[in-house]
Amino acid sequence: MDFDKKILCIGAGYVGGPTMAVIALKCPEYKVTIVDINEEKIKGWNSEQLPIYEPGLEEIVSKVRGCNLFFSADIKRGIREADIIFVSVNTPTKTFGLGAGMASDLQYWENTAQQILENSEGPKIIAEKCTLPVKTAQAMERILKTNSNGAHFEVVSNPEFLAEGTAIQDLLEPDRVLIGSHQTESGLRAAGEIAKIYAHWVPREKIITSNLWSSELSKLVANAFLAQRISSINSISALCERTDANISEIAYAVGSDRRIGPKFLNASVGFGGSCFKKDILNLVYIAESYGLSEVAEYWKMVVRINEYQHERFVASIMKAMFNTVVGKKIAIFGFAFKANTGDTRESPAKFIGRKLMEEKAILAITDPKALGNARLDLEGMDGQVTFEPDPYQAADGASAIVVVTEWDIFRELEYEKIYKNMKKPAAIFDGRNILDHQKLFELGFNVYPIGKPSLTHFE
Ligand code: UDX
Ligand code: UDX
C-alpha cells in the first residue's frame, strides 16, 4: 500500500510506543514505524506480550500493527525512508562528570542525532519528543548541519505530556499539543506538518505553537509545577501529623478554590517516575548555569521535600515498630511508582524497601503489574525479600503492611481475613491514604496514615 507520509519514531519506550500507536490509529494514510536499539524490546512489541503495560494499549496495537504500524530493529532503513522522525530515546540524569546528578545524560540522544545524520539521503523533519534541556534542539541542529549531502533537517520540539497509566486517554484527549519551531518559513512549515498529524483528532485550538525554546522549557516547567504541588501538600502533611489537622480536609478546602483546583493534591510517600525529579534537576542545572542561584535553590527544594517525605515515612515506620524491624516480616503493597503501570523508575518503594532491608526486615512485595521490575531493582537481595502476586500471601505472618502504590485492588481486600493471619500487634502504614482507616482500626490494626493522626490501640 502507498502511504502519504512515512513517520519514524526512534525509541520504543513508554513514550514512543503508546504515542505512535495512537498516531497510527488516527492517521491510517501514514506509515508509522518504531525502531529501537534494543532488539528484545522490538520482539516484545511484535508479540502478544507487549513490553509495557498501559490500559487500552494492547487493543490499539492489535488493531494497527502490520497495517500502518510497524516495529523494527532496522534503524538505518527506518531513517532512510522517513519523512518525519520523532526522537523518543531516554535521557536519564547524568551519573558521572560535569553536571552529575543533575544534568541530562545526552549520550543516547547524540548517538541518535549521529545515526540520523549518517543515514539520511533527503530532507527530514526531526521532532524531539523526549524531555531535554533547553537548547538541545539547537545542538541537534548543529550536528545535523554537518552533513555533506545537502539534506535539510528542520528540528522541532514536540514534548509529550502523557502520564503513565493514563497514556492512551491522555493521547486521545490531550489538554494541549505543543509544537515549538524556528519562526522562519521552513521552521513554521515543519511545525505545520507536525500539527497536521495531530489535527486528525485534536481540536485545532488545542494545538499550540511557540518558538523552540519556549516549547522545550514548557515541558520542564509543567512537570516542575506538578511536582511542586505534591511537595507543597506533602510538606503540610508533616505539619498535620504534629497537630490535629487532617491533610485530606485541608486539600479539599484549599483545592475548592477554583484558582488552585483539586488535582495533584494527594499527600503521599512522595512522587516517583522517570520525569519529575529528572526534569526539576534539569531546570535547576539550567538556572545554575545562567547564574540564577535563587531560582535554582527554589526548585531544588521541591526535590528535597520529596526526599524528606520518603525519609519521614520510613522513620515513622521505625518508630511505630518500636525502633526495630530485625527479622520482622513486612508486606509492601505496591512497588510501581503509581497505580496502573508496571514502571518502577524512581519509585518511592525502592527507597523504602532498601531502608527497611538495611534495618534487617524481611520484605514480601506484592504488586499486580510491577513484580518483574521489582525483581530487577532488588537483584541480589535474596533471602531478605520475596515477591508475591497474592496480597493475602504477602501479608500472611507479617507484622506490618506498608501501602506504597495506590492500586484499587488494595482498597478492596478483605482486611478482616488479612488481620487474622498477621502477627500482632499488626500495623498498617498507608502511604497513599487510600484505605478506610477507621474500619481498619476497628478490626484491630494500628493505623498510620499520611498527614492525619494515627489510630492505635496502645495506651
Ligand atoms: C524517554 C525519556 O525518559 C523521557 O525523558 C522522555 O520524555 C521520553 O523518552 P520513556 O519512553 O519513558 O521516556 O523511556 P524508555 O521507556 O526508557 O524508552 C526509551 C527507548 O529508547 C528505550 O527502549 C531504548 O532502548 C531506546 N533507545 C535508547 C534507542 O532506541 N536508541 C538509543 O540510542 C538509546
Ligand atoms: C508526569 C506528568 O504528569 C506528565 O504530564 C509527564 O509527561 C510525565 O511526568 P507520570 O510521571 O507518568 O507523568 O505520572 P504522574 O501521574 O504525574 O505522577 C507522578 C508521581 O506523583 C507518581 O509517583 C504519583 O503517585 C505522584 N502523585 C501524583 C502524588 O503523590 N500525589 C498526587 O496528587 C499526584
Side-chain angles (χ1 to χ4, degrees):
M1 178 177 166
D2 272 349
F3 291 100
D4 284 2
K5 281 234 150 59
K6 293 194 176 111
I7 295 175
L8 178 76
C9 175
I10 305 182
Y14 285 91
V15 171
T19 310
M20 293 304 124
V22 168
I23 290 181
L25 179 75
K26 295 293 181 182
C27 309
E29 76 277 26
Y30 292 169
K31 178 181 177 185
V32 182
T33 305
I34 311 184
V35 293
D36 200 293
I37 42 166
N38 182 337
E39 292 192 19
E40 281 306 304
K41 208 174 246 188
I42 292 297
K43 272 191 203 142
W45 281 107
N46 279 322
S47 75
E48 293 313 302
Q49 192 70 46
L50 301 185
I52 64 166
Y53 170 73
E54 270 300 332
L57 176 64
E58 232 172 66
E59 289 85 330
I60 296 182
V61 170
S62 63
K63 231 185 232 171
V64 288
R65 193 174 50 193
C67 300
N68 68 330
L69 178 68
F70 303 89
F71 296 92
S72 159
D74 193 345
I75 302 178
K76 291 182 179 173
R77 180 168 165 208
I79 293 173
R80 250 194 334 269
E81 290 183 349
D83 302 300
I84 299 172
I85 301 179
F86 286 94
V87 179
S88 185
V89 301
N90 43 337
T91 48
T93 303
K94 249 183 122 177
T95 53
F96 54 88
L98 197 65
M102 260 199 256
S104 274
D105 185 343
L106 293 176
Q107 57 172 316
Y108 307 114
W109 172 89
E110 164 145 16
N111 184 26
T112 303
Q114 293 290 355
Q115 280 175 332
I116 295 175
L117 178 63
E118 285 161 21
N119 295 289
S120 294
E121 290 160 2
K124 292 182 198 306
I125 297 171
I126 315 294
E128 307 174 326
K129 264 249 161 270
C130 26
T131 313
L132 292 162
V134 179
K135 297 206 175 179
T136 309
Q138 189 183 49
M140 169 143 325
E141 237 164 34
R142 287 183 176 158
I143 295 174
L144 294 177
K145 280 206 171 121
T146 60
N147 75 337
S148 51
N149 62 5
H152 178 75
F153 297 99
E154 193 64 46
V155 181
V156 302
S157 156
N158 174 220
E160 186 47 68
F161 294 102
L162 66 79
E164 285 174 38
T166 53
I168 298 299
Q169 194 190 324
D170 295 342
L171 285 161
L172 290 172
E173 285 177 49
D175 287 343
R176 78 311 209 176
V177 167
L178 179 57
I179 304 166
S181 68
H182 284 304
Q183 303 299 295
T184 56
E185 201 189 323
S186 62
L188 294 171
R189 203 174 328 114
E193 282 294 329
I194 303 294
K196 217 163 95 185
I197 298 174
Y198 292 101
H200 281 72
W201 76 98
V202 180
R204 275 283 175 180
E205 66 276 13
K206 288 193 173 174
I207 303 178
I208 306 170
T209 52
S210 72
N211 78 30
L212 260 181
W213 299 340
S214 302
S215 171
E216 289 180 317
L217 193 53
S218 296
K219 168 70 192 190
L220 296 187
V221 174
N223 275 347
F225 271 48
L226 289 168
Q228 182 202 40
R229 279 174 77 92
I230 302 169
S231 278
S232 296
I233 200 77
N234 281 345
S235 73
I236 303 302
S237 77
L239 195 53
C240 287
E241 285 166 33
R242 298 290 166 89
T243 60
D244 272 338
N246 176 319
I247 198 65
S248 301
E249 291 174 353
I250 293 179
Y252 184 74
V254 172
S256 300
D257 185 324
R258 269 183 298 167
R259 293 168 303 176
I260 296 171
K263 293 187 178 156
F264 265 68
L265 289 179
N266 292 323
S268 66
V269 281
F271 59 75
S274 69
C275 284
F276 281 179
K277 185 175 166 193
K278 182 188 71 168
D279 288 355
I280 295 173
L281 292 179
N282 235 313
L283 190 59
V284 168
Y285 186 68
I286 295 166
E288 272 175 4
S289 59
Y290 284 105
L292 304 172
S293 54
E294 285 81 359
V295 177
E297 283 304 309
Y298 176 72
W299 289 106
K300 226 186 247 173
M301 277 313 285
V302 174
V303 174
R304 179 62 202 115
I305 288 288
N306 199 49
E307 290 164 354
Y308 167 72
Q309 193 73 351
H310 296 352
E311 290 158 9
R312 232 166 53 71
F313 189 63
V314 174
S316 77
I317 295 174
M318 290 303 295
K319 186 166 168 227
M321 296 184 79
F322 319 108
N323 289 313
T324 174
V325 289
V326 179
K328 291 182 185 169
K329 181 177 176 187
I330 298 182
I332 306 288
F333 276 21
F335 208 80
F337 80 96
K338 64 187 251 190
N340 298 318
T341 175
D343 193 353
T344 60
R345 288 178 291 179
E346 298 291 336
S347 175
K350 284 196 243 187
F351 176 86
I352 294 161
R354 273 202 211 103
K355 284 282 167 202
L356 293 175
M357 283 194 278
E358 276 170 24
E359 295 287 347
K360 301 194 189 306
I362 309 294
L363 303 189
I365 296 171
T366 186
D367 189 294
K369 294 286 175 197
L371 288 189
N373 281 331
R375 269 195 194 92
L376 295 175
D377 293 337
L378 299 177
E379 221 164 38
M381 306 302 284
D382 312 350
Q384 259 199 289
V385 56
T386 55
F387 302 92
E388 261 306 334
D390 177 9
Y392 293 98
Q393 281 300 325
D396 192 29
S399 303
I401 292 172
V402 176
V403 180
V404 185
T405 314
E406 70 280 26
W407 286 103
D408 275 343
I409 53 151
F410 298 147
R411 298 173 211 262
E412 292 148 13
L413 298 172
E414 289 172 51
Y415 282 95
E416 197 169 352
K417 190 167 132 190
I418 288 179
Y419 180 73
K420 273 197 196 120
N421 294 328
M422 284 178 68
K423 209 165 161 200
K424 311 298 176 314
I428 285 203
F429 300 90
D430 186 356
R432 294 289 185 169
N433 285 346
I434 54 167
L435 304 179
D436 183 339
H437 300 147
Q438 186 58 34
K439 195 170 147 204
L440 291 170
F441 173 69
E442 283 162 18
L443 288 175
F445 283 103
N446 294 317
V447 188
Y448 303 89
I450 297 270
K452 300 179 188 196
S454 46
L455 301 169
T456 69
H457 298 278
F458 301 126
E459 289 295 303

